[in-house]
Amino acid sequence: MPVPTEELKLEIVNAATGKTLGTRATPGADGALVVRDFPDGGPRPQRWQLVPVRPAQGAQAPVEQTYVIREAAGGKVLDNPAAADRGVRQWDATVGRQGQQWHVVPVAGEAGLYFIEGVTDGTVLDLADPGPDDTRVVLRAYDENAESQRWRFVTAEPERTSDAALRWAALSHWNGRRSWRLTRSAALRPAPGATPSFSDMLLVLPRFGSDQDAGGWKSDGTGRSPGVPGWWAGPGARFLADTTGAGRADIVGLRPGRGAVTSSGEGDGTFQDDERVLHPPAPSPGPGDLWTLADTTGDGRPDVVVLAVDGVRVSVQDAAGSFAPAGGKLVLKAFGHGRQAGGWLGDKHPRFLVDTTGDGRADIVGCHDDGVWVSLQDDEGNFAPIGDEPVLRAFGHDEKAGGWRVGRHPRFLVDITGDGRADIVGCHDDGVWVSLQDEDGTFAEPLYVLDDFGVDQGWSSVEEHPRFLVGTTGGGAVDIIGFGPQGVVVSRGRGDGTFEPPKLVLNDFGRAQGWTGGKHLRFPADVTGDGHPDLVGFGDEGVWVSRNRGDGRFEQARLVCRGFGHDDDAGAWRVDRHPRFLADITGDGRVDIVGFGGPGVYVARNLHRRFRTR
């Protein structure tokens, strides 16, 4: 587990004994620290916070981060009294005292284990010989084979609170018309001073649902979920997209044999009752066809792009909103799932539609068996034929190209240096690899930049532990956000192609807190409209949001909508049948919650600004 940020309260557990750091059962005046058991029903273990030591103004930052380890309740700190017995203690904090400053050093090859090293002489926390009651914690010389010198940080349980909830109450009128108003309802432990942020969910369209009466929609699981970088949708998929460039989202569904059908947004949180064909299928549609909507020309209107059996087909949207040609123009005989187009398979070969050069036009990048292939789009909208060799023999499925697997190793095309060109970032077994693109459009040999976010560190799969590349502070640099085994982990981008050591920023949304890929959706999204991504999770009880404080730190998650969740009381939503999204369906600049349930389309309106105190 990465080092937690100072906001999180921790138990410090010795790896050799499984016992927790704290004072004696009967604390003495010397403040001596021991490891001991804390039986159920007794006092809970002491909790600590790792407070970074900031360098003095104008001083150069140390190569290795230094911490004061502070007891969360009383404020005393871990202290080295330099006593003859080398025992450590809990003592009053003294500003600048080096005997109260520590390095937290990862144990090589052991995910989540650390040495706690004093800055004065490099000795580390260890255990004295076991006593009759408790085992004293002492400082000893570093020994890489001593398990008693290894420590684990265990975060406290997250605080479960809620924003005030507003439910829809149906109203009947004398003329037979029906409408709805919002009324308050009881919520799970409302936070003091909380204001409503989302309404309860409301069925707005009895279509596009998994029930037979709502169309019997069922996705075959092909492709990647919309909203994930490089997403493509397969037959039966339903998603939200701005199909006209009007600034609000419409419903799009892929019906086998009919192509893309849509229900346009009305601008008030509802959708048109009629389901119309947005775009017919390719001339010879196949079950392996993958679709996306993207602006390929830079004119602000999304076009239809299909990875078909014979290659890439594009239908450009004109000013009247029509897509031409109707079946799509074959623009590239590559990246398709037929043998003549390269035999690209959705479960082996990720493909991306992204502007790699910064010229405003989308290019196509794919990771095949032997590496990375690229087709650039020119000023006239033509895609260049791919070459005879991959542009980079890495990030591919074959062992010679790295042995990358779609289900285990996420890959991204994103500009992490700020030069306007997309770079390749991938999370493999051992951690994060980066290939930077230079001014000539050449991708450099991958560099290993971070020993985290990989399978070896507990990130077992893309589904179980989703990872994203997005700026968290508004400073321009792209960071890595991951929903890991112990919670949310962030590694800040330095802007030069490397990343700072990862930090555990939130003790929630992780497997340790009960979140699993088979039951819950998690991703970053700007919920409040302040330009900073918040953290969103569709959990058991409903939708939880951890708000970004604006500096990349996150508040404890709150329940903002008692719907769209896995539990029966929250609607019994299932990941494999009921896609859910955050999208602006009103054009007011705020994302709403939209879900495709059994009976049809449900919406929860974003009320954050309406009730926000100014």
Side-chain angles (χ1 to χ4, degrees):
M1 181 180 77
V3 175
T5 53
E6 64 183 287
E7 294 83 11
L8 301 186
K9 300 174 183 178
L10 318 164
E11 295 173 14
I12 302 178
V13 179
N14 184 260
T17 63
K19 296 183 178 182
T20 306
L21 176 71
T23 56
R24 293 190 179 102
T26 303
D30 60 356
L33 291 173
V34 298
V35 293
R36 65 187 183 94
D37 291 320
F38 288 83
D40 294 340
R44 73 180 186 183
Q46 286 174 271
R47 293 176 176 176
W48 306 83
Q49 291 171 292
L50 301 179
V51 182
V53 177
R54 270 78 179 184
Q57 187 173 5
Q60 185 175 3
V63 175
E64 189 172 3
Q65 179 66 63
T66 303
Y67 296 92
V68 170
I69 302 178
R70 181 179 62 198
E71 202 271 323
K76 293 189 176 184
V77 301
L78 190 69
D79 181 88
N80 172 18
D85 65 356
R86 303 296 285 157
V88 296
R89 64 182 180 176
Q90 174 183 284
W91 207 249
D92 293 330
T94 302
V95 176
R97 173 173 158 74
Q98 286 198 327
Q100 296 178 350
Q101 297 179 7
W102 309 86
H103 293 147
V104 177
V105 183
V107 178
E110 296 285 347
L113 294 181
Y114 296 89
F115 299 104
I116 300 177
E117 176 188 85
V119 301
T120 54
D121 57 7
T123 56
V124 298
L125 260 61
D126 200 348
L127 301 183
D129 295 332
D133 299 313
D134 307 318
T135 303
R136 187 81 189 273
V137 178
V138 298
L139 287 166
R140 285 186 175 147
Y142 165 76
D143 180 357
E144 65 178 5
N145 296 316
E147 190 177 4
S148 58
Q149 294 183 357
R150 304 178 183 190
W151 301 84
R152 176 179 291 108
F153 300 120
V154 178
T155 56
E157 289 297 312
E159 298 177 10
R160 293 297 190 185
T161 59
S162 174
D163 283 357
L166 294 182
R167 292 188 179 277
W168 294 99
L171 297 176
S172 296
H173 301 267
W174 64 269
N175 59 2
R177 185 175 63 87
R178 298 193 69 191
S179 60
W180 291 265
R181 63 182 173 87
L182 289 167
T183 61
R184 286 188 177 272
S185 66
L188 176 68
R189 284 181 52 202
T195 54
S197 53
F198 283 89
S199 72
D200 196 14
M201 64 183 189
L202 177 69
L203 179 65
V204 298
L205 185 66
R207 292 178 179 272
F208 295 97
S210 57
D211 293 350
Q212 288 302 314
D213 292 343
W217 286 76
K218 183 174 68 172
S219 173
D220 66 359
T222 303
R224 302 178 65 183
S225 299
V228 176
W231 70 266
W232 299 90
R238 292 148 289 164
F239 53 93
L240 295 167
D242 179 4
T243 63
T244 63
R248 62 174 182 262
D250 307 309
I251 295 172
V252 179
L254 301 181
R255 274 202 180 279
R258 292 192 65 192
V261 298
T262 185
S263 178
S264 299
E266 298 280 23
D268 59 357
T270 65
F271 300 90
Q272 293 180 1
D273 291 335
D274 294 334
E275 176 185 305
R276 62 183 178 85
V277 175
L278 178 71
H279 186 270
S284 299
D289 289 358
L290 297 176
W291 294 60
T292 194
L293 283 167
D295 178 11
T296 64
T297 62
D299 62 0
R301 293 187 295 269
D303 310 307
V304 173
V305 182
V306 181
L307 301 178
V309 65
D310 53 354
V312 181
R313 290 184 168 271
V314 175
S315 294
V316 177
Q317 185 178 179
D318 60 24
S322 300
F323 293 86
K329 177 183 178 183
L330 183 63
V331 299
L332 189 63
K333 294 180 179 180
F335 299 106
H337 53 89
R339 179 173 296 181
Q340 70 273 29
W344 294 72
L345 303 177
D347 59 352
K348 292 176 63 176
H349 308 130
R351 283 149 286 177
F352 304 85
L353 195 61
V354 61
D355 178 10
T356 64
T357 61
D359 63 358
R361 290 183 172 272
D363 310 304
I364 303 176
V365 181
C367 302
H368 206 280
D369 292 334
D370 50 0
V372 179
W373 296 77
V374 176
S375 172
L376 300 178
Q377 187 182 179
D378 62 23
D379 293 339
E380 298 179 354
N382 299 314
F383 287 90
I386 61 174
D388 296 329
E389 299 288 336
V391 300
L392 183 65
R393 291 191 177 276
F395 299 102
H397 186 271
D398 286 350
E399 293 303 320
K400 290 184 179 180
W404 292 74
R405 299 294 182 262
V406 166
R408 297 172 61 189
H409 307 134
R411 281 152 281 181
F412 307 86
L413 267 292
V414 63
D415 178 13
I416 61 174
T417 61
D419 63 357
R421 291 182 171 274
D423 310 298
I424 304 173
V425 181
C427 303
H428 206 279
D429 289 342
D430 50 358
V432 179
W433 292 80
V434 168
S435 174
L436 300 180
Q437 185 183 180
D438 62 21
E439 295 180 355
D440 297 328
T442 302
F443 287 96
E445 284 298 312
L447 294 176
Y448 181 65
V449 298
L450 197 63
D451 56 348
D452 210 322
F453 299 102
V455 175
D456 293 348
Q457 294 87 30
W459 303 74
S460 57
S461 69
V462 172
E463 178 189 50
E464 197 65 40
H465 302 299
R467 280 143 280 182
F468 303 86
L469 265 73
V470 62
T472 62
T473 62
V478 174
D479 311 313
I480 303 175
I481 297 180
F483 295 87
Q486 301 297 326
V488 180
V489 178
V490 172
S491 182
R492 314 274 183 217
R494 295 190 174 109
D496 61 356
T498 64
F499 298 88
E500 295 179 3
K503 299 282 188 181
L504 181 71
V505 299
L506 185 67
N507 56 331
D508 210 340
F509 297 121
R511 191 171 184 86
Q513 295 85 29
W515 294 77
T516 65
K519 295 171 60 178
H520 308 125
L521 303 174
R522 292 154 291 171
F523 47 81
D526 180 9
V527 170
T528 60
D530 62 358
H532 302 294
D534 308 297
L535 304 175
V536 182
F538 291 80
D540 290 332
E541 308 91 339
V543 184
W544 295 83
V545 171
S546 172
R547 295 190 175 95
N548 191 327
R549 296 178 178 177
D551 57 0
R553 296 183 298 166
F554 295 89
E555 299 175 356
Q556 284 289 321
R558 291 182 180 176
L559 185 67
V560 301
C561 180
R562 298 177 67 85
F564 302 103
H566 187 272
D567 286 352
D568 290 345
D569 291 344
W573 294 71
R574 298 295 181 261
V575 168
D576 59 344
R577 298 201 304 271
H578 307 134
R580 285 150 282 176
F581 304 94
L582 267 70
D584 180 8
I585 59 174
T586 62
D588 62 0
R590 303 190 301 270
V591 292
D592 309 289
I593 305 171
V594 182
F596 296 87
V601 181
Y602 288 83
V603 167
R605 292 286 302 275
N606 190 330
L607 306 172
H608 179 75
R609 286 185 183 168
R610 182 183 300 177
F611 291 90
R612 192 174 185 179
T613 302
R614 296 186 181 277

